[in-house]
Amino acid sequence: MSYLAMVFVPIILMSVFMLFIFSAGGLKDVRHYLDNEQNETYLQALVYGELSYVLRNNAGELEKQEYVTEIQDRLGELWAGLLISRDGEITSVAPFLQQASPHEDWKQLLEEPPKAAAFNSFRYETSEMNLTYPDGGEGKAVLLRRIDTVPIYWRPVGTLFSLAFICLTSLLLTYFVSRSIIRPIKKLEAAALQIKDGDLTHKVVATTRGEIGQLSIAFEDMRVRLKHSIDQSLQYEENRKMLLSHISHDLKTPISAIKGYVEGIMDGIANTDEKRIRYMETIYRKASDMDQLIDELFLFSKLDLQTVAFDFKVIDMSRYMEHFLDEQRFDLEKSGVRLIYENSGMHPTMIAADPDKLSRVLTNILNNCIKYMGQQLEESRKEIHVRLKELDEHILVEIEDSGPGIEKEDLPYIFDRFYRAEQSRNSETGGSGLGLAIVKQIIEGHGGMVWAENAEKSGARFCMKLPKSMLVKAVDDHEEHTNH
């Protein structure tokens, strides 16, 4: 559109300007003007044929004033005029010629008529004819016909003016169009230089439409994605550093303990079978803790990078919870913890879940509850209540313990990686700080939500919301080609 405008707009403006000139000059109807110009040759031929016949065969008509006046008027309408002489004296000069050149020496022009003449910036073509009057007198007639519809200088000047007008208009259009293109490109260039220098904070705003605007939008989308990618890489790098730091810290303690017990055995401190067995059991327990820590680190790393494949199956959540809690109840009772499952007779409810990953989630939460309740006195009540509730489109699982609860300032962060509440930062409770972070990653991988809150009386309550399984219509044999 810009290129077409630069071609056609100057032509349109020039046409409008010419129409204005014609209108200002008193020529209201341009079509009438053009018709007269086209018919002029035909009309001139008629008058000139009649005049030639009279001059050759009936020169006496030129002595009649009425005829001469009539013929001069008709010639004047056709931008022509006649000079007539008799015996060397001028008898008639066309009013049209006198008006065109009031001070012209017509007698000299009549005696030596040129092939062409110019009066008042118009060119005229001359035609002469000798004639003989009826009484024997000699005469001459010279016809001057204007061959230009406009003054001589009008054509070159008009051509130059038209070219200058078109060029100026084209230059102005080119300037504005180029500016509308160059300015956004300059902004894109500045943005590219900023990106090259590593500054991705400046937003690229599309100030125009069309191709340049689309380019600006694509450039902004590229900047946003590049910034997101760099921020994500920086976050991964920060996570990696934090992971290494925590791995070093969490592995150093059990390794130091293992080294100490091994040295005790080597130095003979464990000089009895009872001490050696106790030392070996401690070494085995520390090694098991390290193995569990490495396993959790490996699983969390894969979950964080989204490289863990979920094996989703449609399961009845109520029956799944019953089987899982039955397996856990015996081990919990050995630890002095009572496990209570509250189902309230809920009918079968299907969800799409990975049974193994879901088992890992429930195990981590139960272990967290046991860890916190282990800080209480032996005579304190230790119970874990598990409730299953059906919502409109979700299943809500609540796991509530009778422990000391969670401090309010810790609640927003307990699902963050390597976060440990202050109560568990001792050698008895330990913990990698990844258990609840793994829970969050797995539940979100199922399309659900997980959060923690304090119970009304005491203890912590962990809540998980999982989406129900959608019903799928089976396709019968006769509907196998039907698009459902």
Side-chain angles (χ1 to χ4, degrees), residues 330-344:
F330 179 74
D331 294 332
L332 292 177
E333 287 177 353
K334 289 196 303 182
S335 302
V337 179
R338 183 185 177 197
L339 183 60
I340 303 172
Y341 177 46
E342 301 175 12
N343 188 7
S344 67

Side-chain angles (χ1 to χ4, degrees), residues 343-414:
N343 188 7
S344 67
M346 188 176 67
H347 59 80
T349 305
M350 313 305 290
I351 68 168
D354 185 331
D356 294 335
K357 302 295 189 302
L358 196 56
S359 174
R360 184 62 176 264
V361 167
L362 297 171
T363 302
N364 285 4
I365 294 179
L366 291 176
N367 290 339
N368 187 273
C369 294
I370 296 171
K371 179 179 66 177
Y372 276 83
M373 289 190 298
Q375 302 176 31
Q376 295 178 305
L377 300 175
E378 291 294 333
E379 62 273 10
S380 299
R381 179 178 58 92
K382 297 180 180 180
E383 294 180 350
I384 297 178
H385 292 261
V386 180
R387 304 181 186 92
L388 196 62
K389 298 180 180 179
E390 182 178 3
L391 305 179
D392 292 337
E393 298 179 357
H394 296 83
I395 295 297
L396 179 63
V397 180
E398 293 182 353
I399 302 176
E400 181 180 330
D401 61 43
S402 59
I406 306 172
E407 297 292 336
K408 290 185 178 180
E409 58 270 17
D410 294 328
L411 275 175
Y413 309 106
I414 63 172

Side-chain angles (χ1 to χ4, degrees), residues 79-288:
W79 299 339
L82 193 63
L83 296 178
I84 304 174
S85 67
R86 180 186 173 89
D87 298 330
E89 296 294 332
I90 294 178
T91 59
S92 177
V93 178
F96 172 75
L97 297 177
Q98 290 179 345
Q99 184 179 3
S101 181
H103 306 290
E104 185 66 32
D105 188 356
W106 301 111
K107 184 176 182 180
Q108 183 179 359
L109 188 145
L110 188 63
E111 291 177 352
E112 300 177 359
K115 293 183 178 180
F119 306 133
N120 197 19
S121 302
F122 288 94
R123 293 181 304 167
Y124 288 79
E125 183 183 56
T126 61
S127 300
E128 63 173 315
M129 182 179 295
N130 295 319
L131 54 93
T132 302
Y133 288 93
D135 57 0
E138 298 294 331
K140 180 185 290 188
V142 177
L143 177 67
L144 287 89
R145 181 177 64 86
R146 198 175 78 179
I147 58 177
D148 293 319
T149 56
V150 294
I152 300 173
Y153 62 86
W154 274 34
R155 294 185 184 276
V157 171
T159 302
L160 292 176
F161 176 79
S162 300
L163 292 175
F165 185 87
I166 293 175
C167 291
L168 180 61
T169 307
S170 299
L171 288 175
L172 290 175
L173 288 172
T174 303
Y175 169 73
F176 288 112
V177 171
S178 300
R179 189 175 70 167
S180 66
I181 297 174
I182 292 174
R183 280 188 175 182
I185 291 180
K186 287 291 184 183
K187 291 183 179 180
L188 290 177
E189 180 185 9
L193 293 176
Q194 291 172 347
I195 292 176
K196 185 188 73 173
D197 296 335
D199 185 5
L200 298 173
T201 58
H202 292 80
K203 184 178 180 181
V204 180
V205 181
T207 56
T208 59
R209 298 181 180 179
E211 293 84 353
I212 302 298
Q214 294 174 1
L215 178 61
S216 301
I217 294 173
F219 205 89
E220 171 63 14
D221 184 57
M222 179 195 70
R223 182 196 68 84
V224 171
R225 295 193 180 195
L226 185 60
K227 185 175 185 300
H228 175 72
S229 177
I230 293 176
D231 292 343
Q232 193 175 37
S233 299
L234 293 176
Q235 183 63 41
Y236 283 151
E237 180 65 19
E238 185 67 23
N239 294 343
R240 187 186 66 83
K241 292 180 181 178
M242 185 181 298
L243 183 64
L244 291 174
S245 174
H246 284 281
I247 289 174
S248 301
H249 177 270
D250 291 337
L251 292 180
K252 185 176 182 180
T253 301
I255 288 175
S256 299
I258 291 173
K259 288 174 60 179
Y261 283 107
V262 171
E263 290 174 357
I265 296 174
M266 294 173 61
D267 295 340
I269 298 175
N271 51 12
T272 65
D273 291 340
E274 182 182 356
K275 282 188 177 181
R276 281 193 293 269
I277 291 174
R278 189 172 70 249
Y279 276 32
M280 295 301 292
E281 288 177 348
T282 304
I283 292 173
Y284 179 78
R285 188 174 65 253
K286 296 295 182 182
S288 298

